[in-house]
């Protein structure tokens, strides 16, 4: 079984190392040895540590490598949309099996890749694209196929989870926690893709597609990052017995016309500390699945890093190699359900709102009236002295709502901001997970 | 795709219900409808609720049903060794695919079943046999095949986890917590299989076989139940920032001759509250996996119950049905590694020992001397007043060791019991998981 490796960065180097260290085990598990046919890189001669491979295997001609007749499996760990897309489409059309860790490409253009795989007759595996080493796609693709998944809630970005965990533990603000994450190597020099939720949104699209047998692309995902999360938000969450996580949520629902829908979103939210996702700390990832018969499931592990990602890549390489030796291919993705993706405004969410209000009679009535006008039902109200400003004239109102359409909740907050008696809206966060 | 269902108890009834409710979805996922060809039961005419199946499908002739030409897949949810073994061997030899939830049979005689499957050319799937609805076998069998698993630590018995969680929460003794579990339906009238660890040991054998590509049977598993766990043990654990869980542990190791081995055991142990397994409460199950490249992974969910088990069974039914339609079978189990199973005495463990000792000079030196004679290194010693007996003349010594061969630790405790200055050994527990 001959492999073409596209890319030789952190993950690629770990793939090479694991292939070397485990070669006897891998051969036994597959029934044939794995051999590297070539490694495509952008520049030759770059220092890649003391990789246990022949220098002659490196090439800058990725397309030439892919097209070689003696290549069975193409492993792509380059990332990004182009040239990865052209390479993989070429490989799949040529009947090669493909293993990729490229979440951005899958979320952007997974349909084209799946079609190319179906035409060429090879496999397309991508376990490493979501939540790194955590075996997640296979359970969703296969183990839960006899069940009906209702909701997937995940912490799928390690950088933001590290930052939010640090804010929760130390009371630091976002900027300070981001600096720490950067210093420790948990955040990249340009952290935009992580902190603005782009990375999580791509993974949410992949998870939703699998869980609901429906094509969901990155553009279908409502996305909010964590840059607006403040130390005051974290304190509010703690006062509620909650912690703040950047969640990706894909939920089955029914729209007002009775049609089944799916809503897919990424945003920070408060969850109760008793929720299994609350204790997922540092840069770990976890995905919580709720299904009709199986009930609650959670998958937990390292979401990034060279070795964990390489582990997931190699698991896929073993699977597609076995399939090729047996002359079969895995069941293709199914998107038969074809559920409509619901806009964020219609998604059902709950809000936690902290207000700094004037301390005088009638304030609560006015505030409650705004919620009522938008048809939003209030679950709890807590009144205290103005947060962080002891001795100041004023009061703090903390309101948690029942579920309502997100647009109604957002409109409620907008109107609250305009009330004369509301001095400021100190914290607005969605709330997920039953206490 | 025609199914024979053997057994129609709690799980079987849920399987029938799910097949009915999800029939359109299942047909779309498989590419062909699923149909029940027959249901074998011990007695006809028993009340099975209002199952959505024709009364004529029921039969008491299981073997006749299995042998019918129009049966493709045999689902076994009867449990126990015989007649399940004969039935499944018959079915597999006849080329049928088999889906079973029977952990006892797999642990006792998995080899015979796998061989029969290989001869007949059908699939043998058993996701439901370990940790109910948690997709676990497929990740171990497939997703982690490119990695090297070093250790699997699981909470795989819901009944004992419920009991230990109750003892931890309320300070109750074992008998009282067992009564509560029985009253709430978490423990069976005869709870022996659960509380003595037989159930967990069968699952440990299955997990170890998969994780280490080695045949491990139930008889290879060292087994201790939770009946000896006392309220004092629980209090000792809490004082150490730990909680007590019944763990199944399968660990790779090297014996004194340098040969790779695996040790498989089930026993109660203290784990730090910071460990991901510590927060697995009530009757939930979880399995913690440590692999070379993937690092730490955890799988969490419901380990028992009709619907969760049926979900796992149906996931397998979808998989084997797809395989049959495609004319292929899944990769068979591999046991190429064939590691030696190490006796418990050689397993490396850590002990926590609480002693009620005379309060006089030289006591610590004598006690420490016993550990030294057995070549057991002490990690921490804490000295306090006699536990639970304020005002009494005496002192409490709490000792936690470094890892050592289990036999050396057991011999140390035996010798301590004989020391004149040791009034009693109030608690002995193994310790797992780094703090």
């Amino acid at each position: 079984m001959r492999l073409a490796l596209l890319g030789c960065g952190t993950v690629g180097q770990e793939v090479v190392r694991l292939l070397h260290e485990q070669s006897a085990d891998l051969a036994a598990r597959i029934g044939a040895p794995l051999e590297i046919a070539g490694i495509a890189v952008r520049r030759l001669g770059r220092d890649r540590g003391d990789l246990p491979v022949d220098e002659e295997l490196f090439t800058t001609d990725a397309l030439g490598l892919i097209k070689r007749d003696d290549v069975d499996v193409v492993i792509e760990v380059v990332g990004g949309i182009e040239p990865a897309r052209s390479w993989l489409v070429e490989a799949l059309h040529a009947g090669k099996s493909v293993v990729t860790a490229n979440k951005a490409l899958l979320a952007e253009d997974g349909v084209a890749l799946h079609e190319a795989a179906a035409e060429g007759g090879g496999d397309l595996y991508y376990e490493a694209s979501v939540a790194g080493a955590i075996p997640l796609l296979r359970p969703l693709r296969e183990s839960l196929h006899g069940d009906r998944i209702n909701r997937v809630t995940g912490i799928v970005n390690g950088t933001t989870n590290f930052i939010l965990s640090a804010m929760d533990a130390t009371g630091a603000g976002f900027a300070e926690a981001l600096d720490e994450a950067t210093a420790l190597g948990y955040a990249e020099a340009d952290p935009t893709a992580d902190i603005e939720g782009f990375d999580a949104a791509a993974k949410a699209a992949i998870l939703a597609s699998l869980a609901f047998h429906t094509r969901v692309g990155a553009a279908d995902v409502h996305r909010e990052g964590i840059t607006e999360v403040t130390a005051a938000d974290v304190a509010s969450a703690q006062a509620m017995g909650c912690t703040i996580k950047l969640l990706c949520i894909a939920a089955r629902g029914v729209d007002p016309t009775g049609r089944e829908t799916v809503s897919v979103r990424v945003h920070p939210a408060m969850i109760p500390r008793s929720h299994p996702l609350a204790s997922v700390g540092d840069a770990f990832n976890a995905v919580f699945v709720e299904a009709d018969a199986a009930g609650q499931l959670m998958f937990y592990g390292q979401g990034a890093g060279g070795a964990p990602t390489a582990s997931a890549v190699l698991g896929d390489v073993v699977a597609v190699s076995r399939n090729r030796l047996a002359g079969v291919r895995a069941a293709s993705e199914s998107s038969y359900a074809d559920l409509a993706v619901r806009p964020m405004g219609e998604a059902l969410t709950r809000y936690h709102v902290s207000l700094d209000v004037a301390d005088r009679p009638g304030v609560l009535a006015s505030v409650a009236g705004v919620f009522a006008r938008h048809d939003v039902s209030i679950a709890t109200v807590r009144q205290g002295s103005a947060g962080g400003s002891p001795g100041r004239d004023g009061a703090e109102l903390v309101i948690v709502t029942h579920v309502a359409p997100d647009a109604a909740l957002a409109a409620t907050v907008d109107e609250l901001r305009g009330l004369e008696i509301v001095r400021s809206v100190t914290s607005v966060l969605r709330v997920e997970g039953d206490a």
Side-chain angles (χ1 to χ4, degrees), chain A residues 287-322:
Chain A
V287 175
F288 190 73
V289 177
E290 292 161 88
D292 257 4
Q296 303 181 337
L297 300 169
M298 193 173 82
F299 304 85
Y300 165 97
Q302 292 189 57
T309 308
S311 164
V313 165
L314 271 192
D316 280 356
V317 168
V318 171
V320 304
S321 299
R322 281 174 152 181

Side-chain angles (χ1 to χ4, degrees), chain A residues 76 78-81 84 88 100-107 126 128-129 206:
Chain A
E76 185 262 318
V78 173
I81 305 297
L88 296 191
T100 174
N102 194 329
K103 62 209 158 240
L105 176 55
L106 280 158
Y126 48 93
S129 68
I206 297 170

Side-chain angles (χ1 to χ4, degrees), chain A residues 36-241:
Chain A
I36 299 179
I39 303 175
V41 293
R42 219 172 329 182
R43 277 193 296 134
L44 297 177
R46 193 178 272 185
D47 180 25
R48 297 192 172 85
D50 48 347
L51 276 190
V53 285
D54 200 325
E55 196 58 42
E56 283 166 22
L57 290 175
F58 288 94
T59 171
T60 56
D61 180 14
L63 216 49
L65 172 62
I66 289 165
K67 287 179 175 170
R68 271 168 52 182
D69 283 341
D70 65 335
V71 166
D72 301 294
V73 177
V74 174
I75 303 170
E76 185 262 318
V77 288
V78 173
I81 305 297
E82 282 297 347
R85 172 163 49 193
S86 308
W87 291 345
L88 296 191
V89 167
E90 181 72 33
L92 289 165
H93 271 138
K96 319 283 186 192
S97 292
V98 164
V99 174
T100 174
N102 194 329
K103 62 209 158 240
L105 176 55
L106 280 158
E108 167 105 3
D109 216 2
V111 175
L113 294 181
H114 284 298
E115 284 174 1
E119 280 169 33
D123 277 326
L124 172 62
Y125 273 53
Y126 48 93
E127 182 69 73
S129 68
V130 181
I134 310 175
L136 191 58
L137 303 196
R138 205 149 314 170
L140 286 180
R141 250 169 112 152
E142 298 174 19
S143 307
L144 286 166
H145 259 184
D147 205 337
R148 181 184 158 91
I149 297 175
N150 294 313
R151 196 184 186 88
V152 177
T153 311
I155 295 171
V156 294
N157 180 273
T159 304
T160 48
N161 202 51
F162 181 90
I163 292 170
L164 292 172
S165 298
M167 290 174 73
D168 186 60
T170 66
F174 170 76
E176 195 186 328
L178 172 60
D179 286 347
E180 191 194 344
T182 310
L184 293 172
Y186 286 109
E188 294 181 40
D190 176 359
T192 311
D194 293 317
I195 63 176
E196 296 291 1
F198 289 100
D199 174 82
K203 293 163 176 171
I206 297 170
L207 285 173
S209 301
L210 281 166
F212 298 114
H213 302 274
T214 289
R215 280 174 186 151
V216 178
D220 297 320
V221 181
H222 173 83
R223 177 190 51 74
E224 298 171 28
I226 64 163
T227 54
E228 315 276 302
V229 177
T230 63
D233 291 331
V234 172
S236 284
Q238 287 173 343
M240 298 268 302

